[in-house]
């Protein structure tokens, strides 16, 4: 910024402080003509418009600033956008988002700046009329294959914002929908994208009563990844009855849960049920073996290892038996 630019900024600030906002705006516009590549002046213009509650004009000024920014200056737009969103009507923010979409679709912004916008605005940036029409399909499980196909296309294009937007659309739906399978599918995708809080919110909104065992496993697994089981503890009664009714995948997560909670009694009960399943299953026996190793329970691990060898020997013997059922 040269001496003339600094002087203009000083004069604009002086006019603004003394309440001469119209003159300050006029000086901003004059400065933009003199220095069209300087993002400071449209930013000042936007700030003054916002100060005087001329929100639509503020949005347009910030849009002019955005076009002039370098990627390393993107935080200026983030601050301006967040401040504007606090007071501006929804219609103004919606119009601003539409203008940003047009800039992106028209290739008017550097690629790095576009990435910053998608990272900052995320799902807000992708919700247009076409998206809303498609999102309505997600309210009925009869459209499951179509939803899977479109989500697959988004994933291939690394367009995670649309997946998040679809989940948020489902969360904001006021009516009950017939889409538990679609919702479960979206929860799975959100977990893979590490959008854990959004996935848990969808579980709470769409999966009650919790009848799907896979959803229970997903809930506990996400809580483990977050290192925070407060959601699961709020939603579930993880007691002896819960252990008794659990299958292997759920028991797997319960082992981690009871270890973290220091509940040795229920940990042993869970491991005991896993041992029962391990008697006839090599994969389960191997999982139990690894748990024992991680817990430094080497004698138990050695016992399970011998059992694994025994099961493998039985399996090998069965494979080597001649098959007399085949006719020559």
């Amino acid at each position: 910024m040269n001496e003339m630019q600094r002087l203009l900024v000083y004069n604009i600030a002086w006019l603004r402080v003394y309440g001469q906002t119209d003159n300050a705006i006029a000086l901003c516009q004059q400065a933009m003509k003199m220095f069209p590549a300087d993002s400071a002046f449209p930013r000042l213009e936007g700030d003054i418009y916002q100060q005087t509650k001329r929100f639509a004009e503020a949005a347009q000024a910030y849009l002019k600033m955005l076009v002039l920014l370098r990627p390393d200056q993107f935080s200026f737009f983030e601050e301006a956008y967040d401040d504007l969103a606090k007071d501006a009507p929804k219609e103004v923010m919606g119009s601003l988002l539409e203008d940003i979409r047009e800039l992106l679709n028209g290739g008017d912004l550097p690629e790095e700046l576009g990435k910053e916008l998608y990272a900052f605005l995320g799902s807000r940036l992708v919700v247009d009329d076409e998206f809303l029409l498609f999102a309505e399909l997600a309210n009925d499980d009869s459209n499951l294959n179509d939803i899977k196909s479109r989500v697959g296309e988004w994933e291939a294009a690394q367009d995670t914002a649309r997946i998040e937007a679809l989940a948020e659309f489902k969360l904001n739906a006021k009516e009950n929908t017939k889409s538990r399978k679609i919702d479960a599918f979206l929860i799975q995708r959100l977990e893979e994208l590490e959008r854990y809080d959004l996935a848990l919110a969808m579980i709470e909104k769409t999966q009650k009563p919790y009848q799907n065992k896979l959803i229970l496993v997903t809930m506990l697994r996400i809580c483990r990844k977050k290192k925070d089981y407060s959601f699961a503890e709020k939603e579930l009664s993880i007691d002896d009855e819960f252990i008794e009714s659990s299958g292997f995948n759920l028991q797997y997560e319960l082992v981690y849960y009871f270890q973290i909670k220091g509940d040795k009694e229920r940990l042993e009960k869970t491991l005991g049920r896993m041992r029962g399943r391990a008697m006839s299953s090599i994969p389960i026996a191997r999982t139990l073996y690894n748990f024992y190793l991680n817990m430094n329970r080497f004698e138990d691990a050695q016992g399970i290892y011998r059992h694994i060898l025994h099961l493998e020997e039985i399996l090998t013997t069965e494979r080597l038996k001649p098959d007399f059922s085949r006719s020559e």
Side-chain angles (χ1 to χ4, degrees):
M1 186 175 285
N2 63 31
E3 189 65 31
M4 176 60 74
Q5 288 167 300
R6 282 194 289 271
L7 181 60
L8 285 166
V9 169
Y10 174 82
N11 288 337
I12 291 166
W14 188 90
L15 291 168
R16 185 179 176 187
V17 167
Y18 285 95
Q20 300 183 40
T21 53
D22 287 341
N23 289 335
I25 290 169
L27 189 54
C28 283
Q29 293 169 348
Q30 181 182 344
M32 282 187 278
K33 292 177 182 178
M34 296 171 62
F35 302 100
D38 193 334
S39 62
F41 297 114
R43 182 185 184 186
L44 286 169
E45 181 189 35
D47 291 346
I48 298 167
Y49 277 134
Q50 186 176 344
Q51 175 187 342
T52 56
K53 301 190 183 304
R54 295 162 66 175
F55 298 117
E57 291 161 296
Q60 289 306 304
Y62 292 143
L63 199 65
K64 288 186 284 187
M65 174 187 72
L66 174 63
V67 174
L68 298 173
L69 290 176
R70 299 190 310 269
D72 64 325
Q73 297 175 315
F74 185 71
S75 60
F76 296 152
F77 179 76
E78 288 180 313
E79 293 169 6
Y81 184 96
D82 285 341
D83 285 343
L84 184 64
K86 291 175 184 176
D87 299 311
K90 290 182 179 180
E91 296 77 11
V92 170
M93 300 309 296
S95 180
L96 177 56
L97 284 171
E98 187 60 38
D99 289 337
I100 293 171
R101 289 189 200 104
E102 288 184 12
L103 286 176
L104 289 167
N105 293 335
D108 297 320
L109 295 174
E111 182 179 352
E112 287 302 314
L113 201 59
K115 289 180 181 178
E116 293 282 1
L117 277 168
Y118 277 113
F120 172 53
L121 295 173
S123 59
R124 289 171 287 182
L125 203 53
V126 300
V127 178
D128 52 21
D129 290 341
E130 181 183 356
F131 176 86
L132 291 173
L133 285 173
F134 169 75
E136 288 291 340
L137 298 177
N139 288 331
D140 193 320
D141 276 339
S142 65
N143 300 312
L144 176 60
N145 289 335
D146 291 334
I147 298 298
K148 284 185 174 181
S149 177
R150 184 67 66 87
V151 169
E153 292 173 7
W154 293 342
E155 287 179 325
Q158 297 184 329
D159 190 355
T160 59
R162 290 185 185 275
I163 301 173
E164 292 180 46
L166 184 58
E168 289 171 0
F169 175 86
K170 298 289 292 175
L171 282 175
N172 292 325
K174 295 180 180 179
E175 298 179 0
N176 293 327
T177 60
K178 300 176 181 179
S179 58
R180 287 177 73 90
K181 291 180 180 178
I182 289 175
D183 298 334
F185 167 72
L186 286 174
I187 290 165
Q188 178 192 50
R189 309 323 294 161
L190 290 169
E191 181 188 1
E192 291 190 8
L193 293 170
E194 299 184 1
R195 305 301 196 268
Y196 298 138
D197 290 336
L198 189 53
L200 291 176
M202 276 208 69
I203 287 175
E204 183 176 16
K205 171 73 182 287
T206 68
Q207 298 299 309
K208 290 181 179 179
Y210 297 123
Q211 299 169 339
N212 186 337
K213 296 291 185 182
L214 290 178
I215 288 294
L216 295 178
V217 173
T218 300
M219 183 194 301
L220 285 168
R221 185 172 58 241
I222 291 174
C223 288
R224 169 165 58 87
K225 291 175 180 177
K226 282 170 55 70
K227 299 181 180 179
D228 178 5
Y229 282 96
S230 58
F231 179 87
E233 290 171 339
K234 174 174 70 74
E235 295 295 312
L236 305 173
S237 296
I238 307 177
D239 51 18
D240 292 346
E241 184 179 347
F242 190 83
I243 298 171
E244 293 294 326
S245 65
S246 62
F248 168 71
N249 290 328
L250 200 49
Q251 289 164 5
Y252 179 91
E253 291 300 329
L254 288 175
V255 169
Y256 287 107
Y257 173 72
F258 291 132
Q259 277 185 285
I260 289 173
K261 292 297 173 180
D263 191 334
K264 294 181 180 180
E265 182 179 344
R266 289 197 168 111
L267 174 61
E268 283 305 313
K269 181 169 287 190
T270 304
L271 290 169
R273 291 191 64 81
M274 290 182 73
R275 278 194 298 272
R277 294 174 182 274
M279 291 300 99
S280 58
S281 170
I282 292 176
I284 293 177
R286 285 174 177 161
T287 300
L288 189 58
Y289 170 76
N290 288 328
F291 274 137
Y292 281 141
L293 284 181
N294 290 333
M295 287 184 258
N296 296 325
R297 293 172 57 168
F298 300 117
E299 288 186 12
D300 290 323
Q302 190 174 29
I304 289 294
Y305 181 69
R306 287 195 295 267
H307 179 64
I308 292 170
L309 293 178
H310 175 65
L311 290 177
E312 288 176 340
E313 183 179 347
I314 293 173
L315 186 61
T316 301
T317 302
E318 289 295 323
R319 285 174 178 168
L320 292 175
K321 279 185 179 180
D323 187 354
F324 297 109
S325 64
R326 294 183 179 178
S327 59
E328 295 184 5

